[in-house]
Amino acid sequence: MKAIRLLKSFNFLYFGLLAIFIPFLPVYLADQGLLPAQIGFIIGTGGFVTLITQPLWGMISDKTRTIRKVLLLLIFFSSVIGYFLYDSSSYLQLILFAMLLYFFLMPIDPLTESLNFTMAEKSGISYGSIRTYGALGYAVISLITGYVMSYFGANSLAFLFAGIGLISFIVSWMMPDAPVSGKPVTLSSLKHFFSNKETLLFLLLVFICAVPARMNDTFLGVYIRELGGSAKLVGLTWFLAAGSEIVVFALSFWWLRKGKEIIIISFAAAFFFIRYFVSAWITDPQLLAYLQVMQLLTFPIFYSAAIQYLYRIVPVEWRATGQTVLALLFFGVSGIIASYIGGAIYGAYGGKTLYLFISSISFVGMVFALVLYRIYGTRLDTAEEAV
């Protein structure tokens, strides 16, 4: 069980790094004087980098049949680049270091999730019992980051990021590697995976739901600051959001059922819609921060169900790559559209219009999920009952 404890620690630390990067990079950029359109450009261009780097490192991991060694390399470079990013102020430097950090930091997410799921299966425990520590790390580090930024200045994030990155490297060095599949990696197995109509429709559903979620991730902190909130409040916002995920991940063994993933995703999409629609009408930054506890009914439910569904349909030898495809849609392709279009809408019409826009996309995602459940979900339910 030492391996599981180390993996839980790594989840805590890595998702803590994500907490400094995803919600606070836009806030940091705004503090450097960048406009919403410029922030959207940087985040969106980072999405293009993610399109390349996540499949690249996923394929490298599958081909070399190791996750741990790849993680060590990625964490090392992420820690160094993260320091320089949060120590920069010029527009060109911010673009350069942000792109490099997207290249090295974002591929760690699908590899970590693949490691989580594989080790959970091997140890006979639930995926959520491990992933809970990622949510905890995101919550705690978000809160700490807000206070650090408020009391020591925006550039202090450079030391915080590099310090957590160094500890992450040490922990990953001590972790064992994930057990690998006995089946060889073949292009034909991947071709079969992507040629399945149900799989393609599922990935489209993930994409539709991911766009509004990524727009919220990118501009929520900026919107709170515009409404008069402080960096501390931004940290509290993400502490509440990520902290609410903990109980959901911890109890995933109870609520997450095989064959029920699509209807569970439709449930999460419905609450995505409610959350963003309500956000559009709130003008008090503190009230907007407290609303983020609705995260417990959205992202952790959606993502857990999506991962379980993916692992039921992807060939076992392509699991790391399959996980990469899921993360690519959620953090890459959707991030490009979310940042470019979101930045343009925010800059031209303001935060209220942006949240009305993303709530409408979430509503489309809910309807599409219900349609897929009508087509495929009932068949899966019948198959489960037959077993």
Side-chain angles (χ1 to χ4, degrees):
M1 296 303 291
K2 179 182 178 182
I4 296 298
R5 288 195 297 271
L6 288 171
L7 183 56
K8 289 177 179 178
S9 299
F10 181 78
N11 270 260
F12 181 94
L13 295 165
Y14 169 65
F15 283 97
L17 289 177
L18 282 187
I20 302 174
F21 185 56
I22 294 178
F24 279 95
L25 177 61
V27 177
Y28 179 81
L29 296 176
D31 276 9
Q32 303 309 307
L34 273 64
L35 300 173
Q38 293 175 309
I39 295 172
F41 172 77
I42 291 179
I43 306 300
T45 306
F48 277 112
V49 174
T50 304
L51 284 177
I52 300 171
T53 188
Q54 283 190 333
L56 171 65
W57 291 106
M59 293 286 288
I60 291 174
S61 175
D62 281 331
K63 285 291 186 180
T64 58
R65 305 180 76 187
T66 177
I67 294 179
R68 174 181 164 273
K69 292 178 182 178
V70 175
L71 287 178
L72 284 169
L73 181 67
L74 295 176
I75 281 289
F76 174 78
F77 282 105
S78 294
S79 303
V80 175
I81 295 165
Y83 173 84
F84 287 110
L85 171 63
Y86 290 110
D87 194 47
S88 300
S89 57
S90 77
Y91 188 44
L92 290 179
Q93 285 182 332
L94 290 169
I95 293 175
L96 173 62
F97 290 123
M99 295 311 103
L100 287 173
L101 196 54
Y102 272 104
F103 186 88
F104 289 105
L105 183 68
M106 297 309 291
I108 299 175
D109 177 78
L111 293 174
T112 301
E113 297 288 20
S114 179
L115 191 60
N116 290 343
F117 203 94
T118 303
M119 293 298 292
E121 279 191 331
K122 179 185 177 184
S123 304
I125 60 178
S126 70
Y127 156 82
S129 66
I130 298 176
R131 185 58 175 77
T132 297
Y133 286 83
L136 180 62
Y138 202 101
V140 171
I141 302 302
S142 293
L143 189 62
I144 292 174
T145 303
Y147 278 94
V148 168
M149 191 173 183
S150 293
Y151 288 111
F152 301 104
N155 294 114
S156 62
L157 298 187
F159 296 98
L160 182 63
F161 192 98
I164 295 176
L166 175 61
I167 300 173
S168 301
F169 181 83
I170 295 172
V171 171
S172 59
W173 184 279
M174 296 186 293
M175 286 195 310
D177 213 341
V180 297
S181 165
K183 296 183 179 181
V185 173
T186 63
L187 290 177
S188 61
S189 63
L190 189 63
K191 182 179 179 181
H192 176 72
F193 170 56
F194 282 113
S195 63
N196 184 276
K197 181 181 179 182
E198 181 182 351
T199 300
L200 294 177
L201 289 174
F202 167 71
L203 294 176
L204 177 60
L205 171 62
V206 170
F207 173 73
I208 293 172
C209 293
V211 169
R214 295 295 290 125
M215 284 186 178
N216 178 71
D217 289 348
T218 301
F219 294 103
L220 178 59
V222 177
Y223 189 39
I224 287 176
R225 294 299 296 272
E226 181 183 308
L227 293 176
S230 64
K232 287 189 292 184
L233 185 61
V234 175
L236 176 63
T237 298
W238 288 105
F239 172 78
L240 293 173
S244 67
E245 296 178 2
I246 296 173
V247 65
V248 180
F249 281 123
L251 296 178
S252 62
F253 69 91
W254 175 69
W255 60 264
L256 188 56
R257 295 287 183 269
K258 289 184 178 179
K260 304 289 186 179
E261 294 91 351
I262 297 179
I263 193 63
I264 291 173
I265 288 174
S266 68
F267 171 88
F271 279 97
F272 269 129
F273 162 69
I274 295 171
R275 175 184 175 187
Y276 299 144
F277 184 77
V278 174
S279 296
W281 302 98
I282 294 177
T283 57
D284 183 345
Q286 289 191 333
L287 185 58
L288 184 59
Y290 297 143
L291 180 67
Q292 303 316 308
V293 296
M294 285 191 68
Q295 179 91 340
L296 71 94
L297 297 173
T298 53
F299 174 75
I301 292 176
F302 169 84
Y303 207 62
S304 296
I307 288 176
Q308 179 165 291
Y309 181 85
L310 179 74
Y311 270 58
R312 287 202 300 110
I313 60 177
V314 69
V316 65
E317 67 271 22
W318 280 100
R319 279 186 168 181
T321 300
Q323 177 64 49
T324 297
V325 171
L326 182 64
L328 194 63
L329 285 173
F330 204 90
F331 296 106
V333 180
S334 62
I336 296 170
I337 296 176
S339 300
Y340 286 151
I341 297 180
I345 293 175
Y346 193 114
Y349 304 105
K352 178 179 179 179
T353 301
L354 175 66
Y355 273 95
L356 288 174
F357 176 72
I358 66 177
S359 67
S360 65
I361 301 177
S362 296
F363 184 81
V364 172
M366 177 191 70
V367 173
F368 188 48
L370 291 173
V371 170
L372 289 188
Y373 180 71
R374 181 68 180 270
I375 298 173
Y376 299 109
T378 52
R379 174 177 55 79
L380 289 170
D381 291 345
T382 303
E384 291 291 326
E385 291 173 2
V387 173

